[in-house]
Amino acid sequence: MAMLTATKRAIRSLAPRVLDVSPLTRQLHASPGSKKIVGVFYKANEYATLNPNFLGCAERGLGIREWLESQGHQYIVTDDKEGPNCELEKHIPDLHVLISTPFHPAYVTADRIKKAKNLQLLLTAGIGSDHIDLKAAAEAGLTVAEVTGSNVVSVAEDELMRILILVRNFLPGYHQVIEGEWNVAAIAYRAYDLEGKTVGTVGAGRIGKLLLQRLKPFNCNLLYHDRLKMEPQLEKEIGAKFEEDLDAMLAKCDIVVINMPLTEKTRGMFDKDRIAKLKKGVLIVNNARGAIMDTQAVVDACSSGHIAGYSGDVWYPQPAPKDHPWRYMPNHAMTPHISGTTIDGQLRYAAGTKDMLDKYFKGEDFPPQNYIVREGKLASQYI
């Protein structure tokens, strides 16, 4: 019973507190009449028809077109989101709702918000709304919400996979096989067991906690740094130790995992100076946001060997340009932004987006943990 109570308290503590930014508020719920809803998603092309549950692509548009149009609403879906002449820009002046994802984000700048005279609601199909200028959204009285919890399992599992890929030096062995080579020594000289290693997560929210729980059976030394300490019973159950001093924790870690939102405070947080404080040969996994890292500092540290391996699926900007230096740095295991867009994750965030739209049309409130900006107030994790 004590464990259950502690778990419930921990879950309640994750609901975002909100801080007032502006008293200005646009209408929170839909006014009567047809609404123009624009969705921005990645294009699937020939893959769109290969799985009926592939809802997160532009071709499927979360599977809500028929439902929206049956209620008299207009639904525009595009993947074209960049530049003054893109398809999204054409609809900015008269749209009411904009839906985007972290995997193919529509960057909602203060300028776009100013142009969007009818805009009331910004929805993130997934988790992470840093592609929106949240301060400008709050000052304009917009509502910003996301499908909290929809893909936390997907991301935590992906992080565990990346840790193992780096620790076991998997990728060089894979490349040997496809290139017709066989050189065990070239892999084994830097392949290790995960057991006994010190793993620290910078951020222990929903994803960070799930990762720590999944690491427990590997018998690692688990550390975490976060603005909120876990309830003692939950901390004991997971087997992780709280570290109040971030730099002190980082110096102890064989593996560092980034699990914090991108804010003005965390942007560029891992710069040259902070990376220099890490253990030589550290492994880093970052499925949070690319801009938390200083791009060139990561490249330099991977090139020198100070970072022995870097893996993640987040870049800045996204999609990553062909000349992005992380594509070409040594000792990396990078992918496009895929961790949270598994088919299971898509089903959850599509259902969550539909539920919030339905509540918006009916004038009902969203689940409180989904709000990022509400009535001029910004969730505290983004302050």
Side-chain angles (χ1 to χ4, degrees):
M1 181 62 71
M3 185 181 298
L4 179 60
T5 301
T7 302
K8 287 181 178 177
R9 286 176 183 167
I11 291 171
R12 283 197 299 270
S13 74
L14 293 172
R17 296 168 293 168
V18 292
L19 299 181
D20 200 352
V21 176
S22 167
L24 176 64
T25 305
R26 297 193 194 184
Q27 188 164 336
L28 283 174
H29 305 297
S31 53
S34 174
K35 298 300 172 196
K36 183 174 184 178
I37 299 152
V38 176
V40 178
F41 311 105
Y42 56 80
K43 201 167 183 62
N45 299 307
E46 69 271 22
Y47 303 103
T49 60
L50 298 182
N51 189 328
N53 292 322
F54 193 178
L55 301 182
C57 60
E59 290 84 349
R60 294 289 175 84
L62 302 182
I64 58 176
R65 179 178 296 283
E66 184 177 343
W67 172 70
L68 287 172
E69 292 180 348
S70 71
Q71 299 186 57
H73 302 298
Q74 184 182 8
Y75 188 37
I76 306 294
V77 173
T78 183
D79 71 317
D80 184 17
K81 62 188 180 74
E82 303 293 343
N85 300 314
C86 70
E87 184 66 21
L88 172 60
E89 201 69 27
K90 298 174 186 175
H91 301 287
I92 291 291
D94 63 345
L95 58 77
H96 297 90
V97 179
L98 176 60
I99 307 169
S100 185
T101 75
F103 320 106
H104 188 73
Y107 292 105
V108 184
T109 61
D111 183 58
R112 278 181 165 170
I113 289 172
K114 187 176 181 181
K115 292 176 183 175
K117 302 300 183 183
N118 293 338
L119 181 60
Q120 296 177 340
L121 177 62
L122 291 160
L123 290 178
T124 299
I127 303 170
S129 298
D130 49 89
H131 55 282
I132 299 166
D133 186 326
L134 295 174
K135 183 178 179 182
E139 290 173 348
L142 299 175
T143 299
V144 181
E146 57 189 43
V147 191
T148 298
S150 59
N151 51 17
V152 292
V153 169
S154 311
V155 177
E157 287 184 359
D158 188 272
E159 289 178 340
L160 178 56
M161 175 191 72
R162 291 175 190 275
I163 289 171
L164 289 167
I165 283 173
L166 292 178
V167 169
R168 301 308 294 262
N169 203 24
F170 173 83
L171 281 181
Y174 169 74
H175 288 302
Q176 279 189 24
V177 170
I178 62 175
E179 292 166 7
E181 300 174 1
W182 189 279
N183 187 345
V184 174
I187 306 161
Y189 85 101
R190 51 180 292 172
Y192 297 88
D193 296 339
L194 180 53
E195 184 175 47
K197 301 301 182 291
T198 297
V199 184
T201 175
V202 185
R206 292 173 175 83
I207 295 170
K209 286 185 176 70
L210 286 173
L211 174 66
L212 291 170
Q213 288 170 337
R214 282 152 177 74
L215 283 168
K216 184 177 180 180
F218 287 89
N219 297 319
C220 301
N221 179 29
L222 301 177
L223 308 176
Y224 75 97
H225 171 83
D226 195 87
R227 61 192 178 91
L228 299 173
K229 195 175 186 294
M230 294 182 204
E231 290 284 339
Q233 185 62 38
L234 183 61
E235 190 177 76
K236 182 179 179 181
E237 177 188 333
I238 292 175
K241 180 185 175 185
F242 176 69
E243 294 278 344
E244 186 172 0
D245 186 314
L246 173 59
D247 288 328
M249 183 191 82
L250 293 175
K252 302 173 185 177
C253 292
D254 303 301
I255 302 155
V256 174
V257 186
I258 312 300
N259 274 312
M260 71 182 92
L262 176 63
T263 69
E264 287 310 306
K265 288 184 179 179
T266 63
R267 187 179 298 274
M269 185 177 188
F270 280 77
D271 57 10
K272 180 180 179 180
D273 293 337
R274 176 155 274 137
I275 289 173
K277 297 176 183 178
L278 303 176
K279 275 187 179 182
K280 181 174 174 57
V282 69
L283 304 176
I284 298 178
V285 171
N286 179 16
N287 280 3
R289 288 296 181 265
I292 291 171
M293 315 299 291
D294 179 312
T295 299
Q296 190 58 47
V298 171
V299 174
D300 293 343
C302 284
S303 300
S304 71
H306 192 80
I307 296 176
Y310 184 91
S311 184
D313 69 335
V314 288
W315 309 67
Y316 185 78
Q318 289 188 183
K322 290 184 178 180
D323 62 351
H324 195 293
W326 286 359
R327 291 181 183 268
Y328 309 104
M329 66 185 180
N331 303 321
H332 82 78
M334 294 296 294
T335 67
H337 196 167
I338 57 170
S339 63
T341 189
T342 62
I343 296 300
D344 302 287
Q346 289 177 45
L347 291 171
R348 290 189 291 266
Y349 64 70
T353 301
K354 182 179 179 181
D355 178 68
M356 285 193 288
L357 284 171
D358 189 46
K359 285 178 166 56
Y360 164 71
F361 298 141
K362 293 176 179 177
E364 299 174 359
D365 289 341
F366 302 157
Q369 68 271 19
N370 287 11
Y371 286 105
I372 303 302
V373 176
R374 185 185 190 189
E375 297 179 338
K377 297 175 183 178
L378 186 60
S380 60
Q381 70 264 36
Y382 280 99
I383 299 297

Short mmCIF file of all heavy atoms in Angstrom, two decimals, residues 288-328:
data_model
loop_
_atom_site.label_atom_id
_atom_site.label_comp_id
_atom_site.label_asym_id
_atom_site.label_seq_id
_atom_site.Cartn_x
_atom_site.Cartn_y
_atom_site.Cartn_z
N ALA A 288 16.15 13.70 -26.24
CA ALA A 288 15.35 14.82 -25.74
C ALA A 288 15.20 15.88 -26.83
O ALA A 288 14.21 15.86 -27.57
CB ALA A 288 15.99 15.40 -24.48
N ARG A 289 16.21 16.75 -26.97
CA ARG A 289 16.21 17.74 -28.05
C ARG A 289 17.64 18.04 -28.44
O ARG A 289 18.52 18.19 -27.58
CB ARG A 289 15.49 19.04 -27.64
CG ARG A 289 13.97 18.91 -27.53
CD ARG A 289 13.32 18.61 -28.86
NE ARG A 289 11.87 18.51 -28.79
CZ ARG A 289 11.18 17.38 -28.63
NH1 ARG A 289 11.83 16.23 -28.49
NH2 ARG A 289 9.86 17.40 -28.62
N GLY A 290 17.87 18.16 -29.74
CA GLY A 290 19.22 18.38 -30.24
C GLY A 290 19.83 19.68 -29.76
O GLY A 290 21.04 19.76 -29.51
N ALA A 291 19.02 20.73 -29.62
CA ALA A 291 19.54 22.04 -29.27
C ALA A 291 19.99 22.14 -27.82
O ALA A 291 20.57 23.15 -27.42
CB ALA A 291 18.48 23.11 -29.57
N ILE A 292 19.76 21.12 -27.02
CA ILE A 292 20.31 21.09 -25.66
C ILE A 292 21.83 20.97 -25.73
O ILE A 292 22.54 21.40 -24.83
CB ILE A 292 19.69 19.93 -24.85
CG1 ILE A 292 18.21 20.22 -24.58
CG2 ILE A 292 20.43 19.71 -23.54
CD1 ILE A 292 17.44 19.06 -23.97
N MET A 293 22.31 20.39 -26.82
CA MET A 293 23.75 20.20 -27.01
C MET A 293 24.32 21.31 -27.90
O MET A 293 23.65 21.77 -28.83
CB MET A 293 24.03 18.85 -27.68
CG MET A 293 23.26 17.68 -27.12
SD MET A 293 23.56 17.32 -25.37
CE MET A 293 25.25 16.72 -25.43
N ASP A 294 25.54 21.72 -27.62
CA ASP A 294 26.27 22.59 -28.54
C ASP A 294 26.78 21.70 -29.68
O ASP A 294 27.61 20.81 -29.47
CB ASP A 294 27.44 23.24 -27.80
CG ASP A 294 28.28 24.15 -28.68
OD1 ASP A 294 28.66 23.73 -29.80
OD2 ASP A 294 28.57 25.27 -28.26
N THR A 295 26.27 21.91 -30.87
CA THR A 295 26.53 21.01 -31.99
C THR A 295 28.02 20.78 -32.22
O THR A 295 28.49 19.65 -32.30
CB THR A 295 25.88 21.56 -33.27
OG1 THR A 295 24.47 21.65 -33.07
CG2 THR A 295 26.15 20.65 -34.46
N GLN A 296 28.78 21.85 -32.35
CA GLN A 296 30.19 21.71 -32.66
C GLN A 296 30.98 21.13 -31.50
O GLN A 296 31.94 20.38 -31.69
CB GLN A 296 30.79 23.07 -33.07
CG GLN A 296 32.20 22.98 -33.65
CD GLN A 296 32.27 22.07 -34.87
OE1 GLN A 296 31.44 22.17 -35.78
NE2 GLN A 296 33.26 21.17 -34.91
N ALA A 297 30.56 21.43 -30.27
CA ALA A 297 31.24 20.88 -29.10
C ALA A 297 31.11 19.36 -29.08
O ALA A 297 32.06 18.65 -28.70
CB ALA A 297 30.67 21.49 -27.82
N VAL A 298 29.96 18.83 -29.49
CA VAL A 298 29.77 17.38 -29.56
C VAL A 298 30.68 16.79 -30.64
O VAL A 298 31.33 15.76 -30.43
CB VAL A 298 28.30 17.03 -29.83
CG1 VAL A 298 28.13 15.54 -30.13
CG2 VAL A 298 27.42 17.43 -28.65
N VAL A 299 30.72 17.44 -31.79
CA VAL A 299 31.58 16.97 -32.88
C VAL A 299 33.03 16.91 -32.43
O VAL A 299 33.74 15.91 -32.64
CB VAL A 299 31.44 17.88 -34.12
CG1 VAL A 299 32.45 17.48 -35.20
CG2 VAL A 299 30.03 17.82 -34.67
N ASP A 300 33.51 17.98 -31.80
CA ASP A 300 34.90 18.05 -31.36
C ASP A 300 35.21 16.97 -30.33
O ASP A 300 36.28 16.33 -30.37
CB ASP A 300 35.21 19.43 -30.78
CG ASP A 300 35.15 20.54 -31.83
OD1 ASP A 300 35.19 20.21 -33.03
OD2 ASP A 300 35.04 21.72 -31.43
N ALA A 301 34.28 16.75 -29.39
CA ALA A 301 34.52 15.77 -28.33
C ALA A 301 34.48 14.35 -28.87
O ALA A 301 35.24 13.48 -28.40
CB ALA A 301 33.49 15.95 -27.21
N CYS A 302 33.62 14.08 -29.85
CA CYS A 302 33.61 12.76 -30.49
C CYS A 302 34.89 12.55 -31.30
O CYS A 302 35.43 11.43 -31.33
CB CYS A 302 32.38 12.62 -31.39
SG CYS A 302 30.84 12.32 -30.51
N SER A 303 35.37 13.59 -31.93
CA SER A 303 36.59 13.49 -32.74
C SER A 303 37.82 13.26 -31.89
O SER A 303 38.73 12.53 -32.29
CB SER A 303 36.76 14.76 -33.59
OG SER A 303 35.66 14.94 -34.46
N SER A 304 37.85 13.86 -30.70
CA SER A 304 39.01 13.71 -29.82
C SER A 304 38.96 12.43 -29.00
O SER A 304 39.97 12.02 -28.43
CB SER A 304 39.10 14.91 -28.86
OG SER A 304 38.05 14.86 -27.90
N GLY A 305 37.77 11.81 -28.91
CA GLY A 305 37.60 10.62 -28.10
C GLY A 305 37.13 10.91 -26.69
O GLY A 305 36.91 9.99 -25.90
N HIS A 306 36.99 12.20 -26.35
CA HIS A 306 36.47 12.52 -25.01
C HIS A 306 35.07 11.94 -24.85
O HIS A 306 34.72 11.40 -23.79
CB HIS A 306 36.46 14.03 -24.78
CG HIS A 306 36.21 14.39 -23.35
ND1 HIS A 306 37.19 14.35 -22.39
CD2 HIS A 306 35.07 14.77 -22.70
CE1 HIS A 306 36.68 14.70 -21.22
NE2 HIS A 306 35.39 14.96 -21.39
N ILE A 307 34.23 12.07 -25.90
CA ILE A 307 32.98 11.32 -25.98
C ILE A 307 33.28 10.09 -26.82
O ILE A 307 33.63 10.20 -28.00
CB ILE A 307 31.85 12.15 -26.62
CG1 ILE A 307 31.50 13.36 -25.75
CG2 ILE A 307 30.61 11.29 -26.84
CD1 ILE A 307 30.45 14.28 -26.37
N ALA A 308 33.15 8.90 -26.22
CA ALA A 308 33.47 7.66 -26.94
C ALA A 308 32.32 7.21 -27.84
O ALA A 308 32.55 6.42 -28.75
CB ALA A 308 33.81 6.56 -25.95
N GLY A 309 31.12 7.70 -27.57
CA GLY A 309 29.98 7.35 -28.41
C GLY A 309 28.82 8.28 -28.13
O GLY A 309 28.55 8.62 -26.97
N TYR A 310 28.15 8.70 -29.19
CA TYR A 310 27.00 9.60 -29.05
C TYR A 310 25.87 9.04 -29.90
O TYR A 310 26.05 8.74 -31.09
CB TYR A 310 27.37 11.01 -29.53
CG TYR A 310 26.25 12.03 -29.34
CD1 TYR A 310 26.18 12.79 -28.17
CD2 TYR A 310 25.29 12.24 -30.32
CE1 TYR A 310 25.16 13.72 -27.98
CE2 TYR A 310 24.27 13.17 -30.13
CZ TYR A 310 24.21 13.91 -28.97
OH TYR A 310 23.20 14.82 -28.78
N SER A 311 24.70 8.88 -29.28
CA SER A 311 23.56 8.35 -30.01
C SER A 311 22.30 9.13 -29.64
O SER A 311 22.15 9.58 -28.50
CB SER A 311 23.35 6.87 -29.71
OG SER A 311 22.30 6.33 -30.50
N GLY A 312 21.43 9.26 -30.59
CA GLY A 312 20.16 9.94 -30.36
C GLY A 312 19.39 10.05 -31.65
O GLY A 312 19.85 9.63 -32.72
N ASP A 313 18.20 10.64 -31.54
CA ASP A 313 17.38 10.80 -32.74
C ASP A 313 16.91 12.24 -32.91
O ASP A 313 16.05 12.51 -33.75
CB ASP A 313 16.17 9.85 -32.70
CG ASP A 313 15.14 10.21 -31.64
OD1 ASP A 313 15.52 10.87 -30.64
OD2 ASP A 313 13.98 9.82 -31.79
N VAL A 314 17.47 13.15 -32.11
CA VAL A 314 17.04 14.54 -32.16
C VAL A 314 18.15 15.43 -32.69
O VAL A 314 19.32 15.27 -32.34
CB VAL A 314 16.55 15.03 -30.78
CG1 VAL A 314 15.22 14.41 -30.44
CG2 VAL A 314 17.58 14.71 -29.69
N TRP A 315 17.75 16.37 -33.53
CA TRP A 315 18.68 17.25 -34.22
C TRP A 315 18.12 18.68 -34.15
O TRP A 315 16.96 18.89 -33.81
CB TRP A 315 18.79 16.86 -35.70
CG TRP A 315 19.08 15.43 -35.98
CD1 TRP A 315 18.25 14.36 -35.74
CD2 TRP A 315 20.27 14.89 -36.55
NE1 TRP A 315 18.84 13.19 -36.14
CE2 TRP A 315 20.08 13.49 -36.64
CE3 TRP A 315 21.46 15.44 -37.01
CZ2 TRP A 315 21.05 12.64 -37.18
CZ3 TRP A 315 22.42 14.61 -37.55
CH2 TRP A 315 22.22 13.22 -37.62
N TYR A 316 18.95 19.63 -34.51
CA TYR A 316 18.44 20.99 -34.71
C TYR A 316 19.14 21.58 -35.91
O TYR A 316 20.37 21.62 -35.94
CB TYR A 316 18.66 21.89 -33.49
CG TYR A 316 18.02 23.24 -33.70
CD1 TYR A 316 16.64 23.39 -33.54
CD2 TYR A 316 18.77 24.32 -34.11
CE1 TYR A 316 16.03 24.61 -33.77
CE2 TYR A 316 18.18 25.55 -34.34
CZ TYR A 316 16.81 25.69 -34.17
OH TYR A 316 16.22 26.90 -34.42
N PRO A 317 18.36 22.02 -36.95
CA PRO A 317 16.90 21.90 -37.03
C PRO A 317 16.50 20.51 -37.50
O PRO A 317 17.36 19.66 -37.76
CB PRO A 317 16.56 22.96 -38.10
CG PRO A 317 17.75 22.96 -39.00
CD PRO A 317 18.93 22.74 -38.11
N GLN A 318 15.19 20.31 -37.61
CA GLN A 318 14.65 19.06 -38.13
C GLN A 318 13.69 19.35 -39.28
O GLN A 318 12.84 20.24 -39.13
CB GLN A 318 13.93 18.28 -37.02
CG GLN A 318 14.88 17.69 -36.01
CD GLN A 318 14.22 16.75 -35.00
OE1 GLN A 318 14.86 16.25 -34.11
NE2 GLN A 318 12.93 16.51 -35.15
N PRO A 319 13.79 18.58 -40.38
CA PRO A 319 14.78 17.54 -40.67
C PRO A 319 16.20 18.11 -40.71
O PRO A 319 16.41 19.28 -41.06
CB PRO A 319 14.36 17.02 -42.05
CG PRO A 319 12.95 17.44 -42.22
CD PRO A 319 12.81 18.72 -41.48
N ALA A 320 17.17 17.29 -40.34
CA ALA A 320 18.57 17.72 -40.34
C ALA A 320 19.06 17.91 -41.77
O ALA A 320 18.82 17.05 -42.62
CB ALA A 320 19.44 16.69 -39.64
N PRO A 321 19.71 19.03 -42.08
CA PRO A 321 20.26 19.23 -43.42
C PRO A 321 21.33 18.19 -43.75
O PRO A 321 21.93 17.59 -42.85
CB PRO A 321 20.84 20.64 -43.37
CG PRO A 321 21.06 20.92 -41.92
CD PRO A 321 20.00 20.17 -41.18
N LYS A 322 21.57 17.99 -45.02
CA LYS A 322 22.54 16.97 -45.44
C LYS A 322 23.95 17.27 -44.96
O LYS A 322 24.78 16.36 -44.82
CB LYS A 322 22.52 16.84 -46.97
CG LYS A 322 21.25 16.19 -47.49
CD LYS A 322 21.30 15.98 -48.99
CE LYS A 322 20.03 15.29 -49.49
NZ LYS A 322 20.05 15.06 -50.96
N ASP A 323 24.26 18.54 -44.71
CA ASP A 323 25.61 18.88 -44.26
C ASP A 323 25.70 19.03 -42.73
O ASP A 323 26.68 19.57 -42.21
CB ASP A 323 26.09 20.16 -44.94
CG ASP A 323 25.21 21.37 -44.60
OD1 ASP A 323 24.14 21.20 -43.97
OD2 ASP A 323 25.60 22.50 -44.97
N HIS A 324 24.69 18.56 -42.01
CA HIS A 324 24.76 18.64 -40.54
C HIS A 324 25.98 17.85 -40.06
O HIS A 324 26.15 16.68 -40.43
CB HIS A 324 23.48 18.06 -39.93
CG HIS A 324 23.29 18.43 -38.48
ND1 HIS A 324 24.12 17.96 -37.48
CD2 HIS A 324 22.38 19.22 -37.86
CE1 HIS A 324 23.73 18.44 -36.32
NE2 HIS A 324 22.66 19.21 -36.52
N PRO A 325 26.83 18.45 -39.23
CA PRO A 325 28.10 17.78 -38.87
C PRO A 325 27.93 16.51 -38.07
O PRO A 325 28.84 15.67 -38.05
CB PRO A 325 28.84 18.86 -38.06
CG PRO A 325 27.78 19.81 -37.60
CD PRO A 325 26.75 19.82 -38.67
N TRP A 326 26.80 16.32 -37.40
CA TRP A 326 26.61 15.09 -36.66
C TRP A 326 26.49 13.88 -37.58
O TRP A 326 26.73 12.75 -37.16
CB TRP A 326 25.37 15.17 -35.77
CG TRP A 326 25.56 16.04 -34.56
CD1 TRP A 326 26.70 16.71 -34.19
CD2 TRP A 326 24.59 16.33 -33.55
NE1 TRP A 326 26.49 17.41 -33.03
CE2 TRP A 326 25.20 17.20 -32.61
CE3 TRP A 326 23.26 15.97 -33.36
CZ2 TRP A 326 24.52 17.68 -31.49
CZ3 TRP A 326 22.58 16.44 -32.25
CH2 TRP A 326 23.21 17.29 -31.32
N ARG A 327 26.14 14.10 -38.83
CA ARG A 327 26.06 12.99 -39.78
C ARG A 327 27.44 12.38 -40.04
O ARG A 327 27.54 11.20 -40.37
CB ARG A 327 25.48 13.47 -41.12
CG ARG A 327 24.01 13.86 -41.10
CD ARG A 327 23.58 14.28 -42.49
NE ARG A 327 22.20 14.74 -42.57
CZ ARG A 327 21.16 13.97 -42.86
NH1 ARG A 327 21.34 12.68 -43.11
NH2 ARG A 327 19.93 14.48 -42.93
N TYR A 328 28.48 13.17 -39.88
CA TYR A 328 29.81 12.77 -40.33
C TYR A 328 30.82 12.64 -39.20
O TYR A 328 31.97 12.29 -39.44
CB TYR A 328 30.31 13.78 -41.37
CG TYR A 328 29.29 14.01 -42.47
CD1 TYR A 328 28.53 15.18 -42.50
CD2 TYR A 328 29.05 13.02 -43.42
CE1 TYR A 328 27.57 15.37 -43.49
CE2 TYR A 328 28.10 13.21 -44.41
CZ TYR A 328 27.35 14.39 -44.44
OH TYR A 328 26.40 14.56 -45.40
#
